Amino acid sequence: MDHLWAQVDTYFEGSFVAEPEALRRAYLAAREAKLPEIAVSPAQGKFLGMMVGISGARRILEVGTLGGYSTLWMGQALPEGGELVTFEHNPVCAGVARANFAHAGLADKITLRYGEALDSFKALVGEKVAPFDFVFLDANKNDYPVYLEWILRLSKPGTLIIADNVVRDGQVADSQSDDRSVQGLRTFHDMVAAHKKLDATALQTVGIKGYDGFSLIKVLS
Ligand code: DHB
Ligand code: MG
């Protein structure tokens, strides 16, 4: 099925996804630097950008930059005066991403915080930054539960949280899985489901990134 999924992604990319030149360049730079090829697809990147536009987000937090491909899709969709903060703990990824932001002319809107995500979360809470409108969670899957707690401290009613890779070839439905990522995702979803101030759904996706999915979580008033 992977082959057919890729064909359909190519078809929709041809129809709808005019990948901006800076995004193409960022993709190639990440590949050149041999970063893992696990960034979102062009169609998914455009989806994230459209969600930023539709939600009217002005302040975005991303957890897990990689080479900055998803970051750029969201960043280019921000209005004038908008800001995006992205966390990355791998120095090679951080270097590639910073160069990509500069090449795209988005370095003034995007701030990369290099270091462990927990340290960056603590720093932002300590700095009393304004809450974020939109969060893209795309880091180590086993850390999603603890990251959710921190994200909620940096959110407000109306904040939209999108979590990547929540299906993992369907493994998420296996309560007996001994995969730590799967258990992390399941705990994350249990926390979201039990939280009175969160509303959520999840969508399964197929395409050039295989079989996976997004959770969409809204912070209620
Ligand atoms: C992996 C991580 C991701 O964020 C992703 O989009 C795909 C795969 C991984 O760690 O395998
Ligand atoms: Mg991902």
Side-chain angles (χ1 to χ4, degrees):
M1 285 301 284
D2 276 299
H3 179 61
L4 188 55
W5 297 344
Q7 277 182 31
V8 175
D9 251 343
T10 303
Y11 164 68
F12 282 127
E13 280 172 30
S15 308
F16 297 143
V17 189
E19 191 184 45
E21 138 74 17
L23 271 289
R24 188 72 206 150
R25 185 179 177 139
Y27 168 80
L28 292 172
R31 204 175 62 176
E32 180 78 9
K34 302 208 159 30
L35 303 191
E37 296 212 22
I38 57 174
V40 297
S41 69
Q44 291 172 336
K46 178 147 182 195
F47 169 78
L48 291 173
M50 289 182 72
M51 293 298 279
V52 168
I54 292 163
S55 66
R58 300 185 62 83
R59 290 181 50 74
I60 302 174
L61 174 64
E62 178 181 57
V63 187
T65 316
L66 196 64
Y69 186 78
S70 50
T71 325
L72 287 175
W73 273 110
M74 295 186 287
Q76 55 90 40
L78 274 173
E80 202 60 45
E83 283 182 68
L84 190 159
V85 178
T86 185
F87 295 170
E88 180 54 53
H89 75 117
N90 177 300
V92 178
C93 293
V96 171
R98 283 195 170 117
N100 284 337
F101 303 154
H103 279 132
L106 284 171
D108 56 336
K109 276 187 177 163
I110 300 174
T111 305
L112 187 149
R113 294 192 78 125
Y114 167 66
E116 291 304 320
L118 282 183
D119 293 335
S120 295
F121 276 122
K122 281 177 198 155
L124 289 188
V125 169
E127 289 163 26
K128 295 189 167 33
V129 297
F132 292 93
D133 307 309
F134 189 101
V135 181
F136 184 50
L137 175 57
D138 192 16
N140 287 341
K141 314 313 161 196
N142 42 314
D143 292 325
Y144 277 21
V146 60
Y147 293 169
L148 177 65
E149 304 272 15
W150 285 97
I151 287 166
L152 294 177
R153 293 180 72 174
L154 293 164
S155 298
K156 61 171 177 45
T159 297
L160 178 63
I161 303 163
I162 299 185
D164 196 23
N165 312 114
V166 301
V167 173
R168 314 262 61 197
D169 282 314
Q171 291 180 82
V172 73
D174 178 9
S175 62
Q176 304 305 309
S177 173
D178 53 15
D179 182 320
R180 287 183 63 220
S181 298
V182 172
Q183 287 305 337
L185 290 168
R186 291 181 63 89
T187 303
F188 172 74
H189 289 137
D190 287 347
M191 287 167 67
V192 170
H195 201 298
K196 289 189 188 64
K197 298 249 161 164
L198 297 176
D199 195 18
T201 190
L203 294 174
Q204 304 181 66
T205 57
V206 295
I208 58 172
K209 312 311 291 195
Y211 171 32
D212 218 321
F214 294 115
S215 300
L216 291 96
I217 302 154
K218 185 182 173 190
V219 180
L220 302 174
S221 53

